[in-house]
Amino acid sequence: MQVAHLRDSFEGLLAASGAVRAFNGRGAGRLCNTSNVQFDGIDGEALLLRLQGAGVACSQGSACTSQRPEPSHVLRAMGLTESEAWASLRFSLSAENTEIEVGQAVGIVGSTHEALRASSFSRAV
């Protein structure tokens, strides 16, 4: 259950950052090491690329479909719109992760999300 605690900590800290629209599947039976996060006001692929460049491992779909350029079929089956599914990223944790790493990852995700929102806003104005 240590990994579930890390996941819950990750989600709590991320929710407090204001970057999150929803945690997909929260409240349902789900893997204890996985968090699927729907972000607010950004392009999920842009966030994905920036996070990977910053060393945060994440994906837009399940591991078995990560090479397909389409939104997650699982999220679509859960009732998310195509744009909501595209704005969602999957994060996985392991027993080897620490609370410090979770905090660092949340910091990177939050600042990267904010930078993307700011650049999107400046282009829209």
Side-chain angles (χ1 to χ4, degrees):
M1 282 299 142
Q2 170 66 13
V3 178
H5 170 75
L6 288 173
R7 181 203 60 207
D8 294 345
S9 178
F10 174 78
E11 290 181 356
L13 292 168
L14 201 53
S17 77
V20 175
R21 177 175 289 159
F23 293 98
N24 301 316
R26 190 181 231 178
R30 59 185 178 144
L31 295 173
C32 65
N33 71 321
T34 304
S35 180
N36 194 292
V37 183
Q38 185 185 143
F39 290 91
D40 191 32
I42 53 91
D43 173 53
E45 185 174 11
L47 181 59
L48 171 75
L49 294 172
R50 288 187 183 195
L51 290 177
Q52 288 177 338
V56 177
C58 54
S59 70
Q60 274 194 304
S62 65
C64 59
T65 62
S66 61
Q67 300 304 313
R68 292 185 190 165
E70 59 190 44
S72 166
H73 68 280
V74 173
L75 294 179
R76 297 287 286 134
M78 290 171 54
L80 273 69
T81 66
E82 188 171 315
S83 64
E84 290 170 334
W86 277 122
S88 299
L89 297 180
R90 180 178 53 88
F91 298 86
S92 297
L93 298 143
S94 80
E96 295 180 18
N97 290 118
T98 66
E99 287 280 352
I100 292 171
E101 290 170 329
V102 166
Q104 290 170 337
V106 168
I108 293 168
V109 172
S111 63
T112 304
H113 175 268
E114 185 59 35
L116 275 173
R117 281 193 57 126
S119 68
S120 296
F121 177 74
S122 65
R123 279 185 277 187
V125 174

